[in-house]
Structure formats: C-alpha cells, structure tokens
Amino acid sequence: MKINKQKLATSVWQQGQLVEISITDLTDNGDGVGRYDQKVVFVPDTVPGDRLIARLTIVKRKYAYGKLHQLLEKSDLRIEPYCIVADKCGGCQWQHISYEYQLQVKQNQVIQALERIGGLELLEVKPTLPSPSPFGYRNKVTYPLGISATGQVKAGYYQKGSHKLINLNQCPIQDQRLNLLLKEIKQDITRRRWKIYDENNHIGVLRHLSLRIGEKTGEILLTLVVNGSQENPEKLLPGITVEAKKWLEDYSRLVGVCLNYNCKTTNTIFGQQTVCIAGKSYVREKFNGLEFQLTPNTFFQVNTKAAEKLIEVVFEELVLSGSEIIVDAYCGVGTFTLPLAKYLQDVGHNDSLEIGKRKSMVIGLEVQQVAIERARFNAEINNLTNVHFYVGKVESLLPQLEVKPDVVLLDPPRKGCDRSVLETLLEILPERIVYISCKPATLARDLKFLCSTGKYYLSKVQPADFFPQTAHVECAAFLVRF
C-alpha cells in the first residue's frame, strides 16, 4: 500500500489523520507507544522497534489513540501470531510479541510501578517466572454467545475496542482439550434452536457458554448461563435434559453439565444460583499435591502450573519451620491456604485448631460464604486439620483474631487492600507479609504505605506470568519486619 507523503506532511492533529511514528515502549495495558510532533500516540498490536503509519481514532490535545494502518519496518521483537484472528479478537493482546520480550516487559511493569507509585527505589525485582506453557494454559473460559447473519450460533471474544463478537472454533490460549466442545456445542445449540440472549433488548435465553477443565485430571465441566431465575430448565431450553445426557455420552472427559441463572442486566457473567442438569456439579483439580473440587463459578487461578511455580517461591522464601501461625487474607477456596496448611502439617506434624493457643495453623479469611464452604470441603477431603476458615470482610475479621500471626498472606482483588487492613497489619505486626497482586499499581500503592512507616522493608519481589500473550502480570512481594 502506498501512502500519500504530501498528506502525511500537511495533515493536522485530528481524527482520521495518518501519522508516521516509531514505537518506543508499551503501556501497562499492552498498547505500543510512539510520538508525533511531541505528542504521544498509543497504538495496539505494535512492538517497540516498529516503524509504521497509524490512523488516529481518538484525538486529545496532547495525546491520541491510533490504529495500525501500515507497517513500514518490523521490529526484531515482532513474531507471527499463532492465532489467525489475533489482530481482531480481544482475548489477548501480545501474540505478535516474542515470549522472551513479554517476560521482560512484565518485569519492567513491576519495576516502574514500584519506583513511580511506591517510591521504592534500588530494589531487585527478579526476572518474571515464565509460564510452563505460553499457550493452552487457560483451565477456564467463558464465551458470550451470539447469532451470525446465517443464523448459526457464535461464541468467542469481543473485537478489540468494540462489542462485535469474534466467532471462535478453537483458541490457542485455552486448554486444547476444550476445543472440540467449543465447536460441537455451538452446533448442537443451533440445532436445538435455543434462543440466544440479546443484551440490547434483554430478551432471549442463552447468555454464555462456560467450560472448565481440571488441568491435571482432564475432567471438564460445561455450564450454560441463562437469562432466568430458578425456572424449569426444560421451559427455558426445551430438550436440555436429553441433550446434557447425550453430551456426557459423546465427550469422555465431560463429567457434568450445569445451568447458571442470571437475569440481571449487568455485565456480571454468573448469577448466584447454579443447578446440575447431568453428571457432577464440579471438576476435580490437583494443585500442589492437593485435590480441589471446583464448581462453575469458583475462583481459581486459570493457569494451574504457573500458580504452582509461584507457591514454590513462597515456600522457599518463607522457610517455614512448621510451628507458625499463618493468616491467608482474601483466601477464596483455599488456593494458597491449603498448600500452606499441608506444608506446616508435613513439617511440624502439628494439627491443632485451638484458637487462642500458640499452635501451628493456617487461618483463611474470605467475604464470600460460598467460597468458604468450598474451602472447608477441600480441606476435609485432603485431611487437613490445621486450617480454619472465617467468613467476612478482611478489614473486619483481621483485628478480631485471637491469635498473633507470624505470617500474613495478602491476595486481594485488583483494587488492592482496604486501608484499614494495612493499618491493622501495622498494629499486629506479623514478622513477615507476603503480598500477591495482579495489578502492579495497587501493589505499589499498598507497599508504599507499609514501608513508609519504617516497620517493614521489602526483601524480594517476584513477578510471575499467569497470563501469557496478555499484558497482565502477577507478582509476589515479600515484606520483613525491622
């Protein structure tokens, strides 16, 4: 494609303009960064070292967003995407970037956040732990459903920057054992003529198709999210009972078919009620030598092997004797709580649960009742008797504990810890704090607060890649009391 050089030279800073820029950096959300006439231009699907023509799509006074129009010179860091719709699908952002460079960028994201936001300089941030599998690592996927122009059911991710559904029959990011179901189930839904949900008018039935697999066991759970509220499954999806039993017969790895009811007009995917139509309501997963039972909407790390590598780093750094009291705040279903409990039980041979006495134990805190119930069940099936779970907000539960923890593990949502949680930590002063975060900016903010008091110092920071081909980075920070 030829570009009119005169148009490039005489155009003004406005939407639709073509500008020639060189990409020099990447943002935290994965977009390339370049400059034109001292103004910043953000362009998705680019790599540092690319020289290109970008068409401006959103223009502000000092910056703009653009779309890759023509690649003039390829960066040495650029590779051919594995997926044929990588430039359209919003499921991942970095398939065009070499994996080695992805790891470097994620390490740098953490460094920049700690320095700029946390004011924590001269820190050694370890190289990013690579994912054992850069592709095929997702053990859970949830696809919105739609209808094609020819009346076929579509399932996939939305196109970048839009609400257009990109239809997928396979995805290189998800566990490859799910690909067969993704294609075939769509055809069965089309054949059954079940009504697909229209989010604009809030009519129709089928909203999402969710697939979850136990990476270690191979067990698959299929869940259909429907627009309804505790209604008769056959009324919503005529023939679903027969179809669900047929799916169990056709797919040897499939162990259960569920319906999740969600009649809300929000972006929330799962509703609060789930019923099992056929088979089991959960899959079994093996994690760090333990068995977990995971239901359709159980929160669990989507990259099982990468999470295991990070928990190994936690064990190595803590060097537990087996006599510690550990609190796992924001514990979920016990993803980290139970391995810690097993480690203490194996090392210390102490299984006391007597709150108030100085006995080795792990305490899990979590606001969601359903998660705690599942965590308790998972502890029971693994014969872990040195672990106890409490339901409630961490900021409320932590000050009420009758024991003084030696170690507190924090694994909050992306927004980070509530300030009162950090203030409580500065009152109870555990010897060590492990902060696991999926957002470097909020991690840096919270570490700044804890370290600025002079009561803690940051001993180690370990980024980990739980989400290859995306800009997301997980990180474990280790604090030690002065």
Side-chain angles (χ1 to χ4, degrees):
M1 180 188 299
K2 292 184 178 180
I3 299 297
N4 188 322
K5 296 294 183 180
Q6 185 66 25
K7 182 178 180 181
L8 285 173
T10 60
S11 55
V12 295
W13 186 246
Q14 63 184 16
Q15 186 176 0
Q17 176 185 349
L18 296 175
V19 297
E20 180 177 334
I21 60 174
S22 294
I23 301 299
T24 58
D25 201 356
L26 291 171
T27 66
D28 289 349
N29 65 4
D31 293 345
V33 181
R35 288 187 176 273
Y36 175 78
D37 193 23
Q38 304 303 312
K39 300 180 181 70
V40 177
V41 182
F42 303 104
V43 187
D45 305 316
T46 59
V47 195
D50 280 345
R51 188 169 64 87
L52 54 95
I53 303 295
R55 184 180 297 279
L56 302 184
T57 55
I58 301 175
V59 177
K60 303 296 181 180
R61 189 168 64 90
K62 293 185 177 181
Y63 67 92
Y65 290 90
K67 182 179 181 181
L68 178 59
H69 182 75
Q70 182 182 359
L71 190 58
L72 302 176
E73 185 177 329
K74 292 183 179 180
S75 167
D76 293 338
L77 303 170
R78 177 178 284 275
I79 61 173
E80 193 68 26
Y82 187 84
C83 178
I84 60 173
V85 295
D87 61 332
K88 300 180 181 66
C89 176
C92 49
Q93 306 92 40
W94 280 359
Q95 280 197 38
H96 61 287
I97 301 177
S98 70
Y99 188 56
E100 292 75 15
Y101 187 63
Q102 290 184 35
L103 298 176
Q104 294 177 33
V105 172
K106 294 183 181 190
Q107 179 192 28
N108 190 57
Q109 280 185 21
V110 175
I111 292 172
Q112 294 299 315
L114 293 177
E115 290 182 351
R116 295 177 181 177
I117 300 172
L120 301 164
E121 299 180 355
L122 303 176
L123 292 171
E124 180 187 2
V125 176
K126 297 293 183 181
T128 307
L129 281 175
S131 170
S133 303
F135 288 97
Y137 62 85
R138 286 197 68 99
N139 57 38
K140 180 186 177 185
V141 290
T142 304
Y143 294 113
L145 299 174
I147 294 290
S148 70
T150 58
Q152 303 297 307
V153 172
K154 301 190 297 182
Y157 294 115
Y158 292 115
Q159 186 171 356
K160 298 173 183 178
S162 78
H163 217 58
K164 178 182 178 182
L165 192 63
I166 302 299
N167 188 43
L168 300 175
N169 286 325
Q170 60 181 2
C171 175
I173 299 300
Q174 71 183 20
D175 190 304
Q176 297 303 283
R177 291 169 289 186
L178 299 177
N179 283 335
L180 176 63
L181 274 77
L182 176 60
K183 180 180 179 180
E184 300 293 336
I185 297 300
K186 287 191 301 180
Q187 294 178 354
D188 291 337
I189 294 173
T190 301
R191 174 175 51 80
R192 282 285 181 179
R193 297 182 179 181
W194 291 331
K195 296 179 180 179
I196 304 301
Y197 179 71
D198 180 349
E199 64 178 355
N200 293 320
N201 300 310
H202 307 298
I203 58 175
V205 178
L206 272 178
R207 301 176 68 139
H208 289 83
L209 165 64
S210 179
L211 300 171
R212 161 162 258 163
I213 185 169
E215 195 274 338
K216 300 287 184 65
T217 65
E219 294 183 356
I220 297 175
L221 185 65
L222 186 156
T223 304
L224 297 174
V225 181
V226 296
N227 178 34
S229 178
Q230 303 179 6
E231 296 182 52
N232 184 341
E234 289 290 334
K235 180 180 177 181
L236 290 170
L237 303 173
I240 181 59
T241 305
V242 172
E243 196 68 45
K245 292 178 180 178
K246 179 178 180 297
W247 287 338
L248 288 179
E249 295 173 357
D250 291 346
Y251 307 109
S252 59
R253 295 187 183 277
L254 188 65
V255 297
V257 178
C258 297
L259 285 190
N260 175 267
Y261 296 99
N262 182 9
C263 59
K264 294 183 179 180
T265 57
T266 65
N267 291 329
T268 303
I269 294 176
F270 286 99
Q272 294 186 348
Q273 170 144 7
T274 301
V275 297
C276 185
I277 300 299
K280 300 188 299 184
S281 62
Y282 62 89
V283 294
R284 294 177 304 114
E285 176 63 298
K286 300 288 185 179
F287 180 77
N288 208 81
L290 298 169
E291 179 175 314
F292 285 74
Q293 291 189 5
L294 308 176
T295 58
N297 56 347
T298 298
F299 174 80
F300 195 79
Q301 297 292 352
V302 299
N303 191 331
T304 304
K305 291 180 179 177
E308 286 181 326
K309 289 184 67 175
L310 187 60
I311 197 71
E312 288 176 8
V313 173
V314 172
F315 288 145
E316 291 172 3
E317 188 67 16
L318 292 179
V319 194
L320 299 170
S321 67
S323 62
E324 291 86 357
I325 293 176
I326 301 175
V327 170
D328 181 8
Y330 314 96
C331 69
V333 296
T335 309
F336 293 113
T337 326
L338 301 187
L340 286 167
K342 181 177 184 297
Y343 191 90
L344 289 185
Q345 190 163 290
D346 290 346
V347 174
H349 306 291
N350 186 335
D351 61 357
S352 175
L353 271 177
E354 296 180 63
I355 305 300
K357 294 186 178 181
R358 191 63 184 176
K359 300 293 184 179
S360 167
M361 69 181 77
V362 183
I363 299 170
L365 311 178
E366 170 61 45
V367 70
Q368 294 186 348
Q369 176 72 39
V370 175
I372 287 294
E373 290 173 358
R374 185 57 52 177
R376 288 170 176 160
F377 182 80
N378 287 331
E380 182 179 346
I381 63 176
N382 287 285
N383 299 313
L384 295 174
T385 56
N386 62 337
V387 59
H388 202 73
F389 293 99
Y390 296 97
V391 181
K393 293 183 178 180
V394 173
E395 52 265 36
S396 299
L397 295 177
L398 192 57
Q400 299 176 10
L401 293 179
E402 297 179 4
V403 294
K404 177 178 170 55
D406 302 291
V407 180
V408 172
L409 186 145
L410 305 168
D411 189 7
R414 290 180 62 82
K415 66 180 181 179
C417 291
D418 187 273
R419 176 58 65 91
S420 63
V421 171
L422 304 179
E423 291 171 346
T424 299
L425 289 173
L426 295 175
E427 292 176 4
I428 63 176
L429 291 177
E431 289 296 326
R432 287 169 289 181
I433 298 172
V434 182
Y435 193 135
I436 297 175
S437 171
C438 59
K439 188 173 182 180
T442 54
L443 170 67
R445 179 202 66 201
D446 292 348
L447 293 182
K448 179 180 181 179
F449 180 80
L450 292 170
C451 293
S452 64
T453 63
K455 296 180 179 179
Y456 287 95
Y457 68 91
L458 195 54
S459 65
K460 181 176 180 178
V461 180
Q462 178 63 74
D465 191 15
F466 284 16
F467 304 94
Q469 320 310 325
T470 79
H472 299 294
V473 58
E474 202 84 4
C475 187
F478 297 87
L479 294 170
V480 179
R481 200 177 86 186
F482 275 112

